[in-house]
Amino acid sequence: MERESSILEYKEDITNTFLKTVSAFANYQDGKIIFGVRDDGTVKGIPQAVQKCLDIENKINDSISPQPDYTLKINEKNQTIILTVRKGDNPPYLYKNKAYRRSDSASLEVDRLALTRLILEGSHRYFEDLPAEDSSLTFSVLSREMEKQLGVSQVDTDVLKTLGFYTAEGKFSHVAELFSDQNTFPGVDMMVFGRSINEIRERIKIHGCSVLSLFHQAVERIAREYQVEKIDGVERRMVEKIPGQAIREAMANALVHRTWDIPTAIRVAMYPDKVEITSPGGLPAGISQEEYLHHQISILRNPKLANVFYRLGYIEAFGTGIQRILYAYRQSRIKPDFQVTDHIIQVTLPLVDAMPPLDQEEQRICAVFPENGLLSRQEIEQATGFEKTKVIRLLNRLVGKKAVLKVGKGRGTRYQRQ
């Protein structure tokens, strides 16, 4: 059987401890509890399974508030009971007045900050919707951006209402505070390293200003670090060692998707061979790392903040940021790296290692390779229709350009697209 995980738990018997896991699943993600299975996956079964299902149902209904969405099913083959709990729309789901979350295969009580987030989610609100502490906000930076990008000549009360900058009581909200010219939210801390982490060339702190200023100043400083001037004939031109598009996307994502309710700055570490952008907050509840990285799924943590960035053209359709970063590196042999934990998302943008241009015949060879697949020379001949000597010549050129990797020797030689 599968091992226990954040979405699967085994219970040998029916004791009240499973109710913590019901709370955790209902608060954060769909999950299953299988009764009659030991922790090591050994199936034991549950005697009188029908009656025990009623016991489980009564325990949930009597102990979890509000009532979660769940189903019970008996596996007739081994007499185990499968309890499936779905993430609810009205968190927090409490057991003995406490809310729980999953940490790997354990169910733990949430801290005060996480409980506050669950309460906001249950009332269908976000941190950005809460009232701002300062009632005398100004928006000169936002006004300039709106005029430049959208042709809006005056950012008045009606425009601010359209952007969602007021609470239901008519007070400025946190999202208004984020876009105001001055605020107390954490900003961006930047460091430029030399040949080692012990060699710090420069420290830059961008704090206390509009989130738009954070974006522009951080992008400009990163881009400047990774631009070089080259002389081409009589002309001078700037060459990007890290694609500007990738820098803008990574920085916009860090600002739009971070958690703003913790006093931690976005960290930007610039090294000779890469830049690391670390955003506080991890993934929003309800989205897995696989979905985040590969499936263009976006659950917005700050929808009003994201909407303004979208209107101004600093992000594209929601959920495409990673794909746009990867696209910026489409001609590079070294690709960006994405690290996700419960508390941070880190994007590493390496220096571009550009592949030499490929001619049409070389491109045709490369096009036949399946993703991460190996092909023999004979298979490439069949797929392209090229004769043997031509395929050998093209493969040798592609290996030299490091577009194709040669694996093995003799009759066992295979080729892989890099």
Side-chain angles (χ1 to χ4, degrees), residues 14 16 18-19 50-64 67 70 72:
I14 300 170
N16 287 346
F18 84 91
L19 294 166
V50 173
Q51 178 59 46
K52 294 300 183 181
C53 279
L54 292 175
D55 293 344
I56 293 169
E57 185 174 348
N58 288 333
K59 286 179 181 292
I60 294 173
N61 294 344
D62 292 343
S63 304
I64 305 292
Q67 185 170 325
Y70 66 92
L72 283 161

